Amino acid sequence: MIMKKITIMTTLLALSLSLGAHAAQSQAGGVEFSGNVDVVTGWQHDDNAAIGDISGQMRDFRGATAPNRDTFGFYLDQVELDIQKTFGEKIRLRADLDFGRFLSGSGRNTDTGAVGSNFELEQGYVTVGALGGEFLIGRFNVPIGYYLVDRPDNVTISYSNIFNFSTPTNATGAKMYWAFGDNFDLHVYLVNQLYDCIVLGAPCLTTPGAPGGDSAIPSWGMRVGYNWGEEGKKSTFGISYAGGPEQGGNNAHLTHMIDMDLSYKATENFLLAAEFIYWQQNNLPTTLGPNAKFIGGLLLTDYALSDLWDIYFSYGYVHDFQGELTGADQQIHNFVLGVGYEITDGAKMKLEYRMDLHHYAAVQPGLQPRNTLVNPANGDRTSLSNAFAAEFAYNF
């Protein structure tokens, strides 16, 4: 097994070097390399009322909360290599290769089934100019919401709870993209499932009723974007819908989500961002209780104090009414305060404090299959997590 991993890594390195040499020899080849290295260190404390959900600033690295749990650690979040090659004006190949998340201690994999894996294919697709736009087929980042999949591309170190619990990140399927002048654009896509899993035997392909369940009918989605502003003040507003038969073996019971995202550059120094989502999963006939619902909102500000320093703040709120996504009927308020320093072009450090306040509702009669984390004898309860984190990220 060790020799197999060494052989794979050696082959990838040789491929990268050969492609790089080819690119240096011929600019017409269109081979481009980019990527990032992202490392995070941090501490999180959960109070004595924590119930074991995956929450808080360090959730991606240390896993579930626990009563009076303290964790401090250093983590290699990812080393990403992006390879892109163009053929003429209409054909483009792209592969985003992510290394190191799981073996460095991170539990956040872009492919949720790859437990124990230290490699993730974040994206791998071919695009062709067609129908006045761009046709893509393969594995791609789903165009929904404000937060992006790669941590260094976001204002904050930690992700919003909307991103953590409800919106899809990567999917495998086909997508069309059109740009209508400088102001409007449209994404339309069909995918195997929104909560993608490509590892054979992974839970999302085998567990009936779970988000991401395998289905004979593809799921679908779209995003309409409006873009405006001059250079240095580019802003965008998007409305997204995604849905489909996400419960394995049940094509008649659909999942729906509607998301609105805003990124508004009021001045060259001040960014205001916001997001709202409504998520609903219609019940299986054998499931007790109403359709599962989830709502969430986000407000984020980022102010550049100078060319090197910025300070940011965000507030997020989510309510998982039946506990379908988080494991309990709960409301979560989270607050983030942080500062960033650009060391040099492409290299940035951030320091961040985050607090997550959970209010758990006691299990209601008939809803116990969903509320798996809350003991009915405890009744309503509140839990608090506090955390500090530092990040160094380099984009190349």
Side-chain angles (χ1 to χ4, degrees):
M1 180 61 72
I2 294 176
M3 288 301 299
K4 182 179 179 181
K5 291 184 177 180
I6 293 175
T7 302
I8 292 173
M9 292 299 295
T10 303
T11 303
L12 286 171
L13 178 60
L15 176 61
S16 299
L17 291 174
S18 65
L19 287 173
H22 180 270
Q25 293 171 3
S26 175
Q27 187 176 359
V31 179
E32 301 176 11
F33 293 90
S34 59
N36 64 74
V37 178
D38 182 42
V39 294
V40 176
T41 182
W43 164 84
Q44 180 171 324
H45 170 74
D46 308 322
D47 67 12
N48 60 6
I51 64 170
D53 55 354
I54 310 297
S55 181
Q57 185 179 58
M58 305 304 293
R59 71 185 294 276
D60 301 334
F61 308 102
R62 47 103 80 171
T65 62
N68 293 316
R69 181 181 181 187
D70 284 277
T71 304
F72 178 83
F74 298 88
Y75 309 98
L76 173 63
D77 183 41
Q78 69 172 21
V79 176
E80 177 172 328
L81 175 63
D82 303 335
I83 306 171
Q84 182 170 286
K85 180 175 176 59
T86 58
F87 299 87
E89 297 181 355
K90 292 192 173 182
I91 301 177
R92 178 164 55 96
L93 308 180
R94 172 73 180 252
D96 293 5
L97 313 178
D98 292 7
F99 300 91
R101 277 191 177 142
F102 189 86
L103 293 187
S104 69
S106 171
R108 188 182 83 86
N109 293 303
T110 53
D111 175 356
T112 56
V115 177
S117 172
N118 67 328
F119 169 73
E120 301 295 340
L121 179 63
E122 180 186 326
Q123 297 194 100
Y125 57 75
V126 180
T127 64
V128 180
L131 302 176
E134 183 179 75
F135 175 72
L136 176 155
I137 187 166
R139 180 167 167 82
F140 56 90
N141 295 153
V142 178
I144 186 171
Y146 174 71
Y147 271 79
L148 302 174
V149 172
D150 291 328
R151 194 185 305 271
D153 295 336
N154 297 306
V155 172
T156 62
I157 299 175
S158 54
Y159 294 91
S160 72
N161 282 326
I162 293 176
F163 180 94
N164 287 336
F165 293 116
S166 60
T167 54
T169 56
N170 309 76
T172 303
K175 179 167 74 76
M176 277 296 305
Y177 170 78
W178 292 274
F180 304 101
D182 295 331
N183 298 113
F184 290 94
D185 58 62
L186 173 65
H187 297 262
V188 178
Y189 51 90
L190 288 174
V191 296
N192 292 336
Q193 53 265 332
L194 294 169
Y195 300 94
D196 193 59
C197 228
I198 59 173
V199 175
L200 207 58
C204 68
L205 296 181
T206 59
T207 305
D214 197 17
S215 170
I217 300 175
S219 293
W220 54 84
M222 62 175 291
R223 181 185 184 273
V224 179
Y226 174 67
N227 314 285
W228 75 97
E230 58 195 28
E231 192 66 31
K233 294 176 62 178
K234 297 290 186 182
S235 302
T236 183
F237 173 72
I239 299 177
S240 303
Y241 167 79
E246 291 289 304
Q247 302 177 73
N250 255 275
N251 299 331
H253 297 268
L254 304 180
T255 296
H256 304 279
M257 66 187 79
I258 299 173
D259 186 282
M260 293 184 290
D261 66 271
L262 170 70
S263 178
Y264 173 55
K265 239 359 194 359
T267 70
E268 291 188 2
N269 293 343
F270 183 72
L271 168 71
L272 173 66
E275 184 177 0
F276 173 79
I277 190 169
Y278 174 80
W279 182 99
Q280 177 173 313
Q281 180 170 277
N282 295 340
N283 277 344
L284 293 167
T286 56
T287 301
L288 300 176
N291 295 333
K293 298 178 177 64
F294 178 100
I295 61 170
L298 169 73
L299 181 66
L300 181 147
T301 62
D302 182 30
Y303 182 73
L305 302 171
S306 67
D307 292 338
L308 301 178
W309 291 92
D310 70 294
I311 186 170
Y312 57 85
F313 169 81
S314 77
Y315 165 72
Y317 169 80
V318 297
H319 187 181
D320 190 6
F321 290 87
Q322 283 77 37
E324 184 71 16
L325 294 178
T326 66
D329 178 357
Q330 64 175 306
Q331 302 178 61
I332 310 175
H333 302 265
N334 80 274
F335 303 86
V336 172
L337 180 63
V339 60
Y341 175 69
E342 187 168 357
I343 303 170
T344 187
D345 189 27
K348 191 167 186 176
M349 291 194 69
K350 299 175 187 176
L351 181 65
E352 181 178 294
Y353 164 75
R354 173 165 171 158
M355 179 182 73
D356 285 73
L357 176 66
H358 300 251
H359 177 73
Y360 306 105
V363 175
Q364 301 298 315
L367 295 181
Q368 292 188 18
R370 287 206 167 101
N371 291 262
T372 57
L373 297 176
V374 177
N375 185 341
N378 292 333
D380 290 7
R381 62 194 303 185
T382 299
S383 174
L384 185 66
S385 294
N386 289 280
F388 289 93
E391 176 192 36
F392 173 78
Y394 181 66
N395 288 287
F396 58 88

